Amino acid sequence: MSQSQQQPALSKCPGCEEPPAAGDLFCGACGYDLSAVPARPDDRPTVAITVPPAAPEAPAAPPARAAEAVRWPAAPETDSSDVPAPVHRPSDLPGTDSGGRPLAEQEREQDREQEREREQAQQREQAQEPGGAAGRGAPVGPGPGAEPVGGPEPSAAAVRHDDRAGPEAAEHSGDFALAAPDPRTAEHSAAPAAPAAPAAGGQVCVACRSGRVDPDGYCENCGHAQPRERDHMEQELDAVAAVSDRGLRHHRNEDSFAVSSTALPDGSPAVVAIVCDGVSSASRPDEASAAAANAANESLLDSLARGTHPQQAMHEAIVAASEAVNALAQEPAGAMEHDAHRHQNAPACTLVGAVMAGELLIVGWVGDSRVYWVPQDRTQPTARLTEDDSWAAQMVAAGLMNEAEAYADERAHAITGWLGADAYELEPHTAAFKPDRPGLVVVCTDGLWNYAESAEEMAAAVPADAQEHPLRGAQVLVGHALDGGGHDNVTVALLPFAVRSQGAGSGCETV
C-alpha cells in the first residue's frame, strides 16, 4: 500500500497570502497548489561565526632563517619528577651526513663558523669607535681571508660553490660531484661549436650563412631556396649596358643577353647588344636563350673584325644562334630523365640584336623582342625599329584588325617565328638605319615593352640621363616593369648613339 507524506500546515497561501483551510490541497481564494510548497526543514540552531582576535604581529624574521617565524611552545625545563629535562645536541646522535662525515664534525664546523662571525662583528665595532683600531691607523675592513661585511648566515654553509681546488677537496666537502662542468666557467672557457663549414668550393646559403647548397639549389641546413646566378644580371661597358631580372612571377630567368665591343678593320669601334627570350612552353628555355645570345655575339665579333658588312654580319649571327639552339635538341637518351616534356618539343627562344658601327645602326630579330629609338631631344619623334613575329602583328599587317584590337586579343603574343629545331622556317629580319641626331637604342624583351608598348610610352619610361648613364637607365626600366607587375622576365640593353647634329630630319632612315 502506498503512503503519502503529510504536507505541513501553512499559515497563509504563498500566492495570495490568504489563510487556507485545514487540509486543503488548493487555496480557496486563488487556487494555488499547496502541495507544491516544499516541506520546512527541521529547525536547527544557528551557529554564530566569529573571527578570533588578531594576535600581536610578530617581528619580521630574516629571509634566510624563515623557520624562526613559527612560534613553537617552550619545552619544559623539568619533567614530572622535577628532574631537569635532558638536552640533546646533534653531536650526541649517531650517524653521518650525506657526505659520509660524522654529525659531530659538522656541528663543530658550524660552531667554528659562528665563532668567526662573532670575531668579525667585534672587529667592525672596534673600527667604528673613534678611539678604536681605525683611529690608531689599523686597516678598516675585513682582513685577508675574512668574510665580507654582512656575511652569510650559518645555514649558508650548505650552499654549493664549485671552486674547490680538486677532487680530493670535493670528497671531504660533503657535496656530490657534478656530472657536468660548472656552467659559470664553461661559458667562458669554451665557445659554442660553430656549424660545420661547407666543403671547399661549395656554395654557402645566403639565408643561414652556414649550410651547404645542394645541386638542386636548396640549403641542406635550413632548406632555403638559393637565388640563381641568372635571377638578376647586370653588365656595363663603355658604350653599352644591360640588365636582366627574373621578375615577380616566374620561378627562373629564361632571358639572356650578351654585350660586347670590337674594332672594325679601319680602327673605328663597333658595339654589339644581343637579347634573347626563352619560349616558356618549350623545354629548357633558359639554356636556349643563353646558347643563342653567346653564339650570336661571337659570330658578330668575328665577322665585324674581318670587315663583313654589319647588316650581313647580323644575318650570319642569327643563323649561328639558330644552329646553337638546334644543337640542344640533340640530347642523349639519358638527358630526358629529369624533364618529362623534353620529348614533346625542342628548346626554343627569340632573338633581337643591335650593332652600332660607324654611322650605321643595324638591327636584327626573330620573334617578338623589340628595338626602340629614343632621340636625346625628346621633342623629336621616337620610333619602333622592329616588327613582331606574332599573331597580333600578322592581323595588323593583313588589315584584319587595328593594333589596339589585335594586342587586346588573348592570342596577341602567340609568336610565329623563333629559333629552335621545331621552327617552321628560319627567316632572319635585318634592317639598317642612319640616325641624323644623337639618341638611345633600347633593345628589350616583351617583359619590358608589355608595360611601355608604344614608342611614346617607352620614351616616357626612359630616364632623361640614360644617354650619359646607360646602366642606371637600364635599371630604371627594369624597375618600371617590376612596378607594373613583373609578370615576365625582364631584359633590356641600352646603347647610346652619338652623332653630330645634321639639322632637321627624321629620327632615322632605313638603308
Side-chain angles (χ1 to χ4, degrees):
M1 179 176 67
S2 63
Q3 297 181 355
S4 61
Q5 185 177 1
Q6 183 179 2
Q7 298 291 334
L10 299 177
S11 59
K12 58 182 178 180
C13 173
C16 61
E17 296 187 354
E18 291 292 332
D24 288 348
L25 298 179
F26 297 92
C27 177
C30 66
Y32 191 91
D33 186 3
L34 301 179
S35 62
V37 179
R40 180 181 303 174
D42 297 336
D43 187 19
R44 295 181 180 179
T46 303
V47 180
I49 300 176
T50 59
V51 179
E57 184 177 358
R65 305 289 295 275
E68 295 181 0
V70 181
R71 292 181 172 272
W72 297 99
E77 297 182 357
T78 60
D79 57 12
S80 59
S81 60
D82 295 335
V83 178
V87 178
H88 296 281
R89 299 175 61 83
S91 58
D92 299 335
L93 301 177
T96 59
D97 60 8
S98 59
R101 294 184 305 166
L103 295 177
E105 181 179 348
Q106 183 179 8
E107 180 66 20
R108 285 193 296 271
E109 183 178 350
Q110 294 179 0
D111 293 341
R112 287 193 297 268
E113 183 70 22
Q114 294 176 1
E115 183 65 24
R116 283 196 299 269
E117 291 182 2
R118 286 193 295 269
E119 293 177 358
Q120 293 170 8
Q122 292 176 1
Q123 292 176 2
R124 289 194 296 270
E125 292 176 359
Q126 293 176 1
Q128 294 174 358
E129 294 179 1
R136 295 191 296 271
V140 180
E147 295 287 341
V149 179
E153 298 292 336
S155 61
V159 177
R160 176 69 179 268
H161 296 283
D162 296 304
D163 53 358
R164 296 179 174 85
E168 297 180 356
E171 180 179 356
H172 301 288
S173 63
D175 296 331
F176 292 103
L178 291 179
D182 183 6
R184 295 170 297 176
T185 57
E187 178 181 0
H188 304 285
S189 61
Q203 182 182 354
V204 180
C205 175
V206 300
C208 66
R209 300 291 182 179
S210 61
R212 188 179 69 88
V213 179
D214 61 16
D216 293 334
Y218 292 88
C219 176
E220 295 181 348
N221 181 39
C222 65
H224 192 279
Q226 304 302 299
R228 299 178 178 88
E229 182 181 359
R230 290 179 58 175
D231 283 356
H232 185 87
M233 301 180 293
E234 296 183 359
Q235 187 176 358
E236 182 181 27
L237 301 178
D238 293 338
V240 62
V243 176
S244 180
D245 192 89
R246 183 185 67 182
L248 305 179
R249 301 296 181 90
H250 282 229
H251 71 283
R252 63 181 175 185
N253 189 0
E254 298 171 356
D255 289 358
S256 187
F257 68 83
V259 293
S260 59
S261 62
T262 187
L264 300 177
D266 60 359
S268 60
V271 182
V272 176
I274 302 294
V275 170
C276 296
D277 184 358
V279 178
S280 298
S281 59
S283 62
R284 299 145 60 201
D286 52 335
E287 298 180 22
S289 62
N294 293 333
N297 181 66
E298 294 176 0
S299 177
L300 277 169
L301 293 180
D302 182 65
S303 299
L304 293 173
R306 289 188 285 105
T308 306
H309 189 278
Q311 189 168 2
Q312 178 63 28
M314 177 62 74
H315 180 92
E316 295 175 358
I318 296 176
V319 173
S322 177
E323 294 175 352
V325 177
N326 294 346
L328 296 178
Q330 302 172 4
E331 295 286 347
M336 300 184 182
E337 295 178 356
H338 302 290
D339 191 344
H341 301 284
R342 287 192 178 187
H343 65 282
Q344 297 180 3
N345 48 27
C349 69
T350 66
L351 181 147
V352 66
V355 175
M356 294 189 309
E359 297 180 354
L360 295 180
L361 171 61
I362 310 299
V363 297
W365 73 97
V366 173
D368 60 349
S369 294
R370 294 180 176 180
V371 177
Y372 291 86
W373 167 259
V374 180
Q376 188 174 17
D377 183 3
R378 299 300 176 88
T379 62
Q380 300 297 325
T382 60
R384 196 180 85 193
L385 307 182
T386 59
E387 293 292 337
D388 297 342
D389 287 327
S390 65
W391 180 91
Q394 286 187 347
M395 294 298 104
V396 174
L400 300 177
M401 292 183 179
N402 60 38
E403 190 169 355
E405 294 173 345
Y407 281 98
D409 194 281
E410 61 180 6
R411 297 165 291 180
H413 291 279
I415 58 176
T416 58
W418 63 89
L419 304 180
D422 57 355
Y424 299 115
E425 185 177 355
L426 179 61
E427 296 181 1
H429 307 287
T430 61
F433 302 88
K434 189 175 182 180
D436 60 355
R437 58 181 56 87
L440 189 69
V441 181
V442 181
V443 185
C444 64
T445 62
D446 60 344
L448 172 60
W449 66 254
N450 277 333
Y451 301 98
E453 186 171 338
S454 67
E456 292 74 17
E457 291 173 335
M458 182 62 70
V462 173
D465 61 346
Q467 187 87 6
E468 295 77 19
H469 307 284
L471 178 60
R472 185 188 308 169
Q475 294 169 342
V476 171
L477 289 175
V478 170
H480 175 77
L482 297 181
D483 292 341
H487 289 74
D488 199 356
N489 307 141
V490 188
T491 304
V492 57
L494 299 184
L495 296 85
F497 196 102
V499 297
R500 291 183 307 170
S501 177
Q502 300 178 0
S506 63
C508 55
E509 65 176 272
T510 304
V511 176

